[in-house]
Amino acid sequence: MKNIKAVVNLSKSIFAVALVLIGFNSSAVEEGEVLPEFTLPSIYEGKAEISSASLEGKTVYLDFWASWCAPCILSLPMYNEMYHKYKDQGLEVVAINLDNPIEDGLDFLLDTPLDFLIPSDPEGGSAELFEVIGMPTSYLIAPNGEVKLVHMGFRDGDMETIEAEVQKTLAEN
Amino acid sequence: MMLNIKVILFVAFSMLILNACSQVRPWERGYLSKKEMSWDSDILESALNDHIFFSKEASSGGNNAAGGGCGCN
């Protein structure tokens, strides 16, 4: 009887610790927060690395994607169009590729050339940093580093919402 | 005393097993999203089976987990 009580008490303690750990874990980057610092190499060999510092002072649309993620593949050509439409107004698009192996991402880019910055992070350290909870997740960042929009997933019609926010942020700065 | 050791062993063994339980993060689902990893390899065949099941049992669904492996739906 005593032993059963001991096991129950131990289980309760483990459960409590687990709850605390879950609490510590939920630190996803949200709207109103500042862009976390990161430095990543470009997916293309020989191109300059991309860091949060190099994006300072720009309106940035940052996206996490992988070639196996169907909605990501749907969204990227649209982001490319958006980039061309607003780059003269100061928009920078950064799409962090999380493919492991990197070759999967490069294969996709051979078929679908994209003109914006594509850092590569096969280990997913940056996704861990942002606490990405779904693929794709994207962030609109104002020139002062503030996260203006967090957008998870990608469905038909989402582009209108994203573009409206981009226009608003570009107009404010 | 013997029972105590058994309890300790049980807890230690459980913790050892629990150690293997880890969360697959959204960006680590590349392998899971492959075609060969899907429960039903033939979409048409599974749709037909669903239809037969529905006509016989008057119920359907409950045979798929939510999400396609990309963590977005």
Side-chain angles (χ1 to χ4, degrees), chain B residues 14-63:
Chain B
S14 307
M15 288 178 108
L16 198 72
I17 294 170
L18 282 174
N19 198 25
C21 298
S22 69
Q23 194 188 359
V24 180
R25 312 305 296 268
W27 55 92
E28 294 169 340
R29 295 182 187 169
Y31 289 118
L32 288 174
S33 67
K34 285 193 173 170
K35 226 180 183 177
E36 51 268 38
M37 292 296 275
S38 66
W39 199 250
D40 297 302
S41 52
D42 189 335
I43 297 168
L44 261 182
E45 193 190 314
S46 68
L48 180 67
N49 284 339
D50 267 358
H51 183 71
I52 295 166
F53 185 83
F54 177 70
S55 66
K56 285 183 183 292
E57 303 286 339
S59 68
S60 67
N63 48 359

Side-chain angles (χ1 to χ4, degrees), chain A residues 1 3 6-7 10 14 25 68-71 98 100-101 123-125 127-128 131-136 152-155, chain B residues 1-5 7-8 10-12 15 18 23 25-34 68-73:
Chain A
M1 194 62 195
N3 288 321
V7 171
L10 190 68
I14 292 171
N25 247 338
W68 46 262
C69 158
L98 299 167
N100 193 356
E123 298 305 322
E128 190 98 41
E131 278 292 332
V132 170
I133 47 171
M135 293 277 284
M152 200 180 78
F154 193 86
R155 290 169 192 84
Chain B
M1 189 64 189
M2 193 61 194
L3 199 66
N4 234 343
I5 292 170
V7 169
I8 292 168
F10 171 74
V11 172
M15 288 178 108
L18 282 174
Q23 194 188 359
R25 312 305 296 268
W27 55 92
E28 294 169 340
R29 295 182 187 169
Y31 289 118
L32 288 174
S33 67
K34 285 193 173 170
C70 60
C72 50
N73 39 3

